[in-house]
């Protein structure tokens, strides 16, 4: 009996200790911030949205793959470049329409955009329910929500124009039970982008409202420009025009006098800038576990010459075809393309790629005297990625007006870009000129020509060709102009297939969905 | 009649004298060798406290009350009882206990007679542990116990081995067993000198390990260190050895001329080297811009340039050290009284590596004492201190410059280790360029002319790591026996480690790759602590034929980690005495623009709380049952902290049954059957906790503002998967222990099946989960099943004793289910695959079929529908199997190319002794595993990544179209993950051969020495393997140029007095 009592007491004391010890076990670990404890004060909302911008700057995952590897390299504007055709060979595959479904750069790019989307979803999940405070005023809170919506639209836009429809996820994925999502159509992704952007437009601040310390955030103008762009991509030209009107009439933006100033460090976030991905100079800029996360961009080292005294990697080399597209004496050509002299080419085997000697100047970070600006980090440069410039908006606006047959407005917008380009000399005639007669068809051609030369090597061309539906004929015609060496590497563009890149096979394995046609 | 009279007299005398006792004395000797046994317990039966022990000569003298018996007992010998009825001299010869069945073994929170065990437990004696000159018990266990696979990962001094008990139970989480040293649960046993170990028990099946709950999921190695005795004179023993180590193997690589000639003939180019000589060839090579690191070459125009004809470095010889020393010295003293005992030991181990820049030394001190304060109260403690320093030369990873050996392979034979004095140098080149080969004064040469790797001499001399580890492991306990049979024990144990790491890097500048322009110091102090409190109560009772023992208990455990680190650069006067952060520059200046000190800290904590219970019941000394139930709580599963784990095991001493007595020559036989479940939670602490990442800049800080500065950001990097729970290991075990022919043959056979359920794996979610890092999920099922056999044979012919013992284990491992998890690739080129239906980490790749001898042969390689399988392939390219016959080589043609984990492991030992001479032989081996020889990937390449192997004499070239090695300048597919570099990893190794002589006691006793044995020993003297790399003993199955085991010769002495 005595033993029984002892036992009972023992069991009871164990049970009691268990109750109190449950707390002991589940107490939060030191130096760890649980998600549920984080969103306590206004500053956290701002931090969370800051984090949502970051995947934009990722040239993702131990690779160096900015979006221009598609926008420029796949198009008729540029050849891949690099040391040899085997240097970044899977970009070579994309350039030459040989993309495999296991292309690692596309996979990494795809994943990076969704990480961005996930971060936006986190903000949109948490911030609307937060109380306002001294830092998070109602206006700031709206702005933060607007930024997240704008960014989410940006990420989906970057996905949909490369891959077509993708899974639409507008919530925080907390459990593996949510790991299967259907592939949405491209139309429904575009509608989602538009609804996010409209909402962002109503919540975001004008660029002029931001203090200088907040320069670089998404603005109302940026949301409107993206609306213009998305409507243009979806061929809703009336809507496109009306959003173009909003930007132009806002008075927030204008063209800088000197075209080349857009590509200097001094010209960053200037009056022509609508949205830029921000990069900065920092000697200790890191690779983050080899994953390529950083505060600087690889673009500069990637595009600079391979000449030993420059030490770049020689990618994204402008084609002869682009070089020839410029009108005689168009000053934008020499602001865009470096044509090295024979003396400047130390090692032709490495510096001339498939017969192409040109180099991209826009992101090469050069002084006005064409010497190279030193970088504090050996490979990571400070130059921002100009995602949307006002000149781009004007040309998109011109295009929208042209398509709805408002040729006057279209010509005005076109002329404003041309007049800035020509500066004070009369080298670029006003429309109509040359082979372009004064009709809608020729105006369309003139606008397209202008888009190519104004925005060359800024990552737009491929996406323009695809949305204009002229990728096949343009690429076929371009191929004929290439060197024999380049031509032998190229495969033929197939209509109905090569407009899109394949959904990464690894992602289809993880979330079963239909592959794009032809892959 | 005379006897009767004597008896009567005796009784009369006893009646007269109140304390009538007999004086008995004698000598106790061993049946083995006839030598005196010291420390034999001579106790009067039934009278507590009466008795003595034999002295150094085996002599005893004891007073015995009338009518009592005395019992002679000694560990390892059968006890003898003598009834005393007179004062007399009794000389006793103790018989060695060959059965050894009734030795008491530790089972966790208690001990048990070995014959009563129901679980799968293997004991390894201290003699086996001490035999090999290794720093840790993990390596000492290699080949000693069935079911225990020990892989000496590396020959690096001080390196720990990978120990797997019954296969690989987990993939992502850790599969290491735990060590329990005198009741203290530890993950790392490097603090303990093998010489301190008295016994080692390996608990293998679920019922045996269940009492340790989740800690024991991957098996438990129970270590008991040497205890004190009740010998008031004390025992002193000294064990020392000293030896030298050498590499046992060398890769066959080309010398300078052959190497240069071979690469000059690749690509079908003419033999420039032969025509113009090495200098000219290098000049030509250089102007072809292959490398920027050549110093100016000696020509007529530059007579002060470097003459490559004078350099022919054997880089393997340059980095391998000859006769690297190894030594170990251990002294221990133990003794005590009836109420207190002690054991104190100190040891020093020092090993220099066979590869330059590696060493390890360790000092340990250990104290165990125990005190019987009252009849019902006992206290005691165990305390160890260890301090070690060491330097690693190697990592077995894919980077060519990751290790000294790997870097040495990447240097070319015409690269001198140091430049000859007066060699011409480029001081600087054009702005923006880099200095090229530069030296005038015999400094270390530039990194390799071919590949950007660091000169190994630069690695060793310019980077000075200094890690000092200190560790205290100890526990204190109190045991109370309030009523007979009940033992209440409370124990607090701690494991505290401080690791002070410092690394100083000199400023140097040998090439653009091999340089560090400012000196740099990093320093850190890390503190690890584990504190465990255990409270248990055990009740033992015997009622008639029923014997039972009940254990209940509670344990709680907290692990804390804290690390503070700092770094800085620009120490003005970089002498060793100034290697402190205070001497680094703290403010940027125009000359030192980046000089800012960095600081950081890290912290982690895990907690566990468990309730445990065990019932052992035995009936009639024949039938045994063991029940365990354990409840574990862990902070790693915030939503499901508790796991419940039962086990049951049955034992039947069948040889005790009447019907078995018929069987002749059967000494004993016991059948065992067990089942149990155990949890596993060896995953990172916050795996199931979604946390905000708030410590940018990487990953979360964005850049804002007109002046562009970092704006702090925060986000979630990984959304923890809701609902994570314990991984469960369920195991069945059936076994039999037996002995035949009066101890001549004994053995154990076990068969087991171990299923891991809800295995915790890191799984990749779809992109839209938004995770930067992959979360964990309970997904996989893993099955390990196998058979373990241990057999011993001991015999004695006259004074010639010998024993043979062998163990063998067969194991099969399979990832049975992924339950929606994704297959995982590991290793270089994703050569390792974890997928359903395959062993964990199966080699997965293309089947290599040889070399296409000609373009025509490549074109003729077609499938059934005449599709050319490898379009574009030409003569010299590798040929791969089109597994599915679809006419192309793609992912679906990848196949199982082997398993890095052997399905058969075995050990064989033999020992003989004869008149003081003894000899041991120990063989160990594995069979059925493969190794991916990644070194060959480099040594059979273009010659730009490493000096070529002599196997490349058989390379395919246009002039040697019969060559059997693919053209390195052919398709890049020639090097893809395939069976080309997969080799048979089986080996059989003579791990140890030892010859000893014990100087006869009759001589040594004159100088008060009880035992003096001297021996010589050789390790790794013989290796039988087909593997062509440095060493088949390799962890993880991929050989990137791993640190090979050393061949060691040593002499030693064992001294006792």
């Amino acid at each position: 009996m005595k033993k029984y009592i002892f036992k009972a007491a023992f069991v009871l004391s164990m049970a009691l200790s268990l109750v109190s010890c449950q707390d002991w076990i589940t107490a939060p670990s030191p130096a760890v911030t649980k998600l549920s404890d984080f969103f306590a004060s206004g500053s956290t909302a701002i931090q969370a949205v800051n984090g949502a911008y970051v995947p934009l700057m990722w040239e993702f995952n131990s690779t160096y793959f900015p979006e221009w590897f598609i926008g420029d390299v796949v198009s008729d504007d540029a050849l891949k470049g690099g040391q040899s055709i085997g240097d970044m060979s899977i970009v070579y595959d994309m350039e030459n329409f040989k993309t495999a479904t296991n292309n690692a750069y596309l996979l990494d790019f795809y994943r990076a955009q969704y990480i961005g989307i996930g971060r936006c979803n986190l903000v949109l999940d948490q911030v609307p329910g937060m109380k306002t405070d001294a830092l998070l005023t109602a206006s700031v809170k709206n702005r933060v929500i607007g930024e997240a919506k704008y960014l989410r639209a940006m990420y989906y836009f970057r996905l949909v124009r490369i891959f077509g429809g993708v899974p639409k996820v507008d919530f925080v994925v907390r459990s593996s039970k949510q790991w299967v999502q259907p592939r949405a159509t491209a139309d429904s992704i575009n509608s989602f982008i538009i609804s996010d952007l409209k909402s962002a437009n109503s919540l975001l601040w004008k660029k002029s409202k931001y203090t200088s310390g907040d320069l670089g955030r998404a603005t109302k103008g940026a949301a409107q420009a993206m609306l213009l762009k998305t409507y243009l991509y979806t061929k809703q030209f009336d809507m496109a025009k009306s959003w173009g009107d909003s930007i132009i009439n806002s008075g927030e933006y204008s063209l800088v006098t000197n075209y080349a100033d857009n590509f200097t460090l001094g010209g960053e976030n200037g009056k022509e800038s609508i949205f830029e991905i921000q990069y900065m100079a920092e000697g200790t800029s890191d690779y983050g576990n080899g994953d390529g996360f950083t505060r600087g961009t690889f673009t500069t080292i990637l595009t600079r010459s391979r000449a030993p005294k420059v030490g770049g990697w020689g990618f994204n080399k402008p084609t002869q075809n682009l070089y020839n597209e410029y009108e005689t004496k168009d000053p934008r050509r020499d602001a865009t393309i470096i044509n090295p002299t024979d003396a400047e080419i130390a090692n032709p085997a490495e510096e001339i790629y498939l017969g192409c000697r040109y180099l991209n100047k826009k992101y090469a970070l050069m002084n006005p005297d064409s010497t190279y600006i030193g970088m504090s980090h050996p490979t990571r440069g400070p130059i921002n990625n100009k995602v949307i410039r006002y000149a781009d908006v004007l040309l998109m606006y011109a295009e929208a007006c042209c398509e709805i047959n408002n040729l006057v407005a279209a010509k005005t917008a076109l002329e404003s870009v041309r007049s800035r380009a020509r500066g004070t000399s009369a080298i670029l005639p006003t429309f109509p000129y040359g082979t372009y007669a004064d009709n809608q068809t020729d105006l369309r051609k003139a606008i397209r020509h202008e888009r190519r030369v104004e925005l060359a090597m800024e990552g737009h061309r491929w996406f323009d060709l695809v949305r204009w539906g002229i990728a096949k004929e343009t690429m076929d015609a371009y191929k004929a102009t290439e060197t024999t060496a380049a031509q032998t590497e190229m495969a033929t563009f197939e209509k109905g297939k090569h407009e899109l890149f394949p959904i990464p096979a690894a992602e289809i394995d993880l979330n079963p969905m239909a592959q794009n046609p032809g892959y | 009649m005379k006897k009767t009279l004597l008896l009567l007299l005796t009784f009369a005398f006893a009646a007269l004298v109140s304390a009538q006792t007999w004086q008995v004395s004698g000598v106790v000797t061993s049946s083995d060798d006839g030598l005196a046994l010291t420390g034999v317990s001579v106790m009067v039966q039934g009278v507590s406290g009466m008795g003595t022990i034999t002295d150094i000569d085996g002599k005893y003298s004891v007073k015995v009350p009338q009518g009592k018996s005395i019992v002679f007992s000694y560990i390892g010998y059968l006890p003898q009882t003598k009834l005393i009825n007179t004062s007399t001299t009794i000389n006793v010869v103790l018989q060695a206990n060959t059965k050894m069945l009734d030795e008491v073994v530790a089972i966790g929170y208690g001990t048990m007679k070995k014959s009563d065990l129901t679980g799968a437990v293997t004991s390894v004696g201290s003699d086996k542990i001490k035999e090999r000159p290794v720093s840790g018990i993990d390596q000492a266990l290699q080949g000693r116990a069935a079911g225990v696979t020990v892989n000496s990962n590396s020959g690096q001094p001080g390196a720990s081995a990978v120990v797997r008990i019954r296969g690989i139970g987990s993939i992502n989480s850790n599969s290491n067993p735990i060590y329990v040293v005198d009741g203290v649960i530890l993950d790392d046993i490097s603090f303990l000198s093998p010489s301190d170990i008295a016994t080692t028990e390996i608990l293998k099946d679920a019922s045996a390990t269940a009492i340790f709950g989740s800690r024991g999921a991957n098996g438990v190695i129970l270590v008991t260190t040497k205890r004190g005795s009740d010998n008031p004179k004390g025992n002193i023993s000294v064990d020392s050895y000293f030896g030298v180590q050498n590499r046992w193997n060398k890769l066959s690589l080309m010398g300078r001329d052959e190497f240069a000639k071979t690469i000059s003939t690749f690509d079908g180019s003419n033999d420039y080297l032969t025509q113009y000589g090495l200098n000219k060839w290098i000049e030509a090579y250089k102007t072809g811009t292959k490398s920027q690191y050549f110093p100016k070459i000696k020509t007529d125009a530059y007579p002060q340039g470097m003459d490559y004809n004078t350099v022919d470095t054997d880089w393997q010889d340059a980095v391998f050290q000859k006769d690297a020393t190894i030594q170990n010295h251990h002294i221990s003293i133990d003794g005590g009284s009836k109420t207190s005992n002690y054991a104190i030991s100190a040891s020093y181990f020092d090993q220099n590596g066979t590869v330059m820049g590696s060493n390890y030394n360790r000092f340990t001190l250990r104290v165990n004492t125990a005190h019987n304060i009252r009849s019902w109260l006992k206290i005691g403690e165990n305390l160890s201190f260890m301090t070690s320093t060491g330097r690693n030369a190697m990592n077995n990873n894919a980077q060519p410059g990751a290790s000294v050996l790997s870097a040495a392979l990447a240097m070319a034979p015409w690269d001198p280790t140091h430049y000859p004095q007066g060699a011409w140098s480029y001081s600087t080149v054009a702005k923006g360029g880099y200095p090229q080969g530069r030296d005038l004064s015999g400094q270390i040469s530039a990194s390799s002319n071919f590949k950007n790797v660091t000169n190994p001499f630069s690695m060793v001399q310019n980077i000075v790591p200094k890690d000092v580890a200190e560790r205290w492991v100890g526990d204190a306990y109190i045991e109370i026996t309030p009523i007979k049979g009940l033992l209440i024990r409370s124990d607090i144990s701690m494991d505290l480690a401080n690791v002070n790491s410092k690394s100083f890097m000199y400023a140097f500048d040998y090439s653009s790759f091999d340089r560090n322009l400012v000196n740099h110091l990093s320093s850190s102090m890390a503190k690890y602590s584990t504190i465990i409190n255990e409270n248990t109560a055990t009740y033992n009772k015997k009622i008639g034929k029923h014997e039972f023992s009940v254990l209940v208990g509670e344990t709680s455990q907290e692990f804390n980690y804290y690390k503070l680190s700092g770094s800085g650069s620009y120490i003005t006067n970089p002498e060793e005495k100034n290697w402190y952060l205070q001497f680094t520059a703290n403010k940027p200046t125009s000359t030192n623009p980046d000089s800012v000190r960095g600081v950081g800290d890290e912290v982690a904590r895990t907690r566990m709380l468990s309730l445990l219970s065990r019932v052992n019941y035995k009936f009639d000394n024949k039938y045994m049952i063991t029940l365990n139930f354990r409840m574990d709580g862990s902070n790693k599963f915030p939503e499901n902290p508790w796991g419940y784990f039962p086990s049951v095991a049955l034992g039947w001493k069948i040889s005790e049954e009447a019907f078995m007595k018929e069987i002749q020559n059967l000494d004993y036989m016991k059948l065992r059957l067990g089942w149990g479940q155990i949890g596993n939670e060896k995953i990172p602490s916050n795996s199931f906790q979604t946390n905000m990442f708030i410590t940018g800049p990487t990953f979360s800080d964005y850049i804002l503002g007109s002046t562009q500065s970092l704006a702090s950001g925060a986000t979630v990097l990984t959304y923890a998967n809701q609902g994570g729970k314990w991984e469960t290991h369920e195991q069945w075990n059936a076994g039999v222990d037996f002995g035949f022919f009066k101890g001549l043959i004994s053995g154990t056979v076990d068969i087991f099946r171990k299923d891991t359920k809800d295995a915790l794996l890191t799984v990749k979610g779809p992109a839209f989960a938004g995770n930067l890092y992959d979360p964990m999920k309970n997904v996989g099922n893993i099955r390990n099943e196998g058979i373990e056999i241990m057999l011993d044979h001991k015999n004695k012919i006259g004074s010639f004793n010998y024993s043979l013992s062998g163990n063998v284990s067969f194991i099969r491992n399979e990832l049975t289910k992924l339950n929606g998890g994704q297959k995982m690739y590991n290793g270089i080129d994703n050569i390792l695959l974890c997928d359903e239906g395959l062993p964990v980490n199966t080699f997965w790749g293309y089947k290599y079929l040889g070399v296409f001898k000609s373009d025509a042969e490549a074109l003729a390689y077609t499938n059934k529908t005449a599709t050319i399988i490898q379009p574009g392939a030409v003569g010299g390219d590798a040929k791969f199997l089109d597994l599915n016959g679809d006419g192309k080589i793609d992912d679906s043609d990848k196949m199982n190319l082997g398993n890095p984990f052997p399905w058969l492991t075995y050990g064989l030992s033999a020992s003989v002794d004869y008149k003081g001479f003894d000899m041991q032989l120990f063989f160990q081996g594995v069979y059925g595993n493969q190794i991916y020889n990644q070194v060959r990937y480099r040594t059979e390449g273009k010659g730009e990544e490493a000096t070529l192997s002599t196997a490349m004499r058989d390379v395919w070239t246009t002039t040697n179209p019969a060559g059997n090695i693919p053209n390195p300048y052919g398709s890049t597919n020639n090097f893809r993950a395939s069976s080309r570099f997969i080799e048979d990893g089986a080996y059989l190794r003579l791990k140890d051969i030892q010859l000893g002589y014990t100087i006869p006691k009759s001589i040594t006793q004159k100088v008060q020495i009880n035992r003096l044995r001297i021996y010589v020993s050789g390790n790794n003297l013989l290796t039988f393997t087909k593997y062509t790399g440095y060493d088949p003993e390799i962890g993880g199955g991929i050989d990137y140029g791993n640190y090979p085991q050393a061949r060691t010769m040593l002499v030693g002495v064992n001294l006792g007095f």
Side-chain angles (χ1 to χ4, degrees), chain B residues 134-136 138-139 151-162 190 349 351 359-360 392 394 1043 1045:
Chain B
V134 290
S135 59
D138 44 2
Q139 289 150 298
N151 217 322
S152 294
N153 243 340
S154 163
Q156 164 77 46
S160 58
V162 174
S190 62
F349 175 81
Q351 185 180 9
N359 55 57
Y360 178 75
N392 285 358
M394 313 294 290
Y1043 200 130
Q1045 300 291 311

Side-chain angles (χ1 to χ4, degrees), chain A residues 487-498:
Chain A
Q487 280 190 41
T488 53
E489 303 299 335
M490 294 176 182
T492 307
F493 182 97
E494 287 172 46
K495 244 186 151 84
K497 174 182 179 182
H498 289 128

Side-chain angles (χ1 to χ4, degrees), chain B residues 654-733:
Chain B
I654 193 167
S655 51
E656 300 290 316
E657 299 288 352
F659 61 84
M660 291 295 281
K661 303 280 185 198
E662 312 282 304
I663 300 173
Q664 284 189 335
N665 297 322
L666 173 70
D667 301 344
Y668 68 94
M669 180 173 278
K670 182 175 66 175
L671 305 179
R672 292 177 279 107
L673 180 67
W675 169 88
Q677 288 184 333
I678 301 178
N680 184 27
E681 48 86 69
K682 287 185 179 174
I683 54 171
S685 186
N686 292 307
S687 300
F688 285 100
Q689 175 83 63
T690 300
N691 298 316
M692 287 299 288
F693 178 80
I694 54 175
T695 50
T698 303
F699 307 136
S700 68
D701 286 5
Y702 194 54
I703 299 153
L704 288 172
S706 52
T707 52
Q708 291 200 314
S709 52
L710 283 171
S712 80
T715 193
V716 173
L717 297 185
T718 303
Y719 288 95
N721 196 6
Q722 282 177 345
K725 60 181 179 189
W726 288 79
E727 172 178 304
T728 304
H729 293 203
E730 183 178 81
Q731 191 170 175
W732 281 96
N733 188 82

Side-chain angles (χ1 to χ4, degrees), chain B residues 164-211:
Chain B
R164 293 284 174 268
I165 294 177
R166 295 190 161 176
I168 307 165
S170 304
I171 300 178
N172 285 102
S173 68
N174 170 335
S175 288
N176 296 329
I178 53 160
Y179 298 90
V180 181
V181 179
D182 298 334
V184 181
I185 301 173
L186 304 157
D187 290 317
D188 169 12
I189 199 170
S190 62
F191 74 96
L192 192 66
S193 167
S195 304
D196 281 331
I197 293 170
T199 61
T200 304
E201 261 83 46
I202 299 160
L203 313 185
K204 298 188 288 195
D205 73 336
S207 88
T209 62
I211 200 67

Side-chain angles (χ1 to χ4, degrees), chain B residues 523-572:
Chain B
S523 186
S524 69
M525 191 78 190
K527 188 178 121 185
Y528 305 79
S529 70
T530 302
I531 297 194
I532 305 177
N533 173 232
E534 297 180 329
N535 303 296
T536 55
T538 314
Y539 185 67
N540 292 302
K541 185 77 181 170
K542 184 172 180 179
I543 305 166
K545 290 180 170 179
H546 307 273
E547 275 181 68
F548 63 90
S549 167
V550 179
L551 168 80
V552 291
E554 171 263 349
T555 79
S556 54
Q557 171 181 335
E558 180 170 303
F559 165 76
N560 279 291
Y561 163 70
Y562 185 71
K563 180 180 178 181
L564 190 61
S565 56
S567 64
S569 46
Y570 297 101
I571 296 178
T572 317

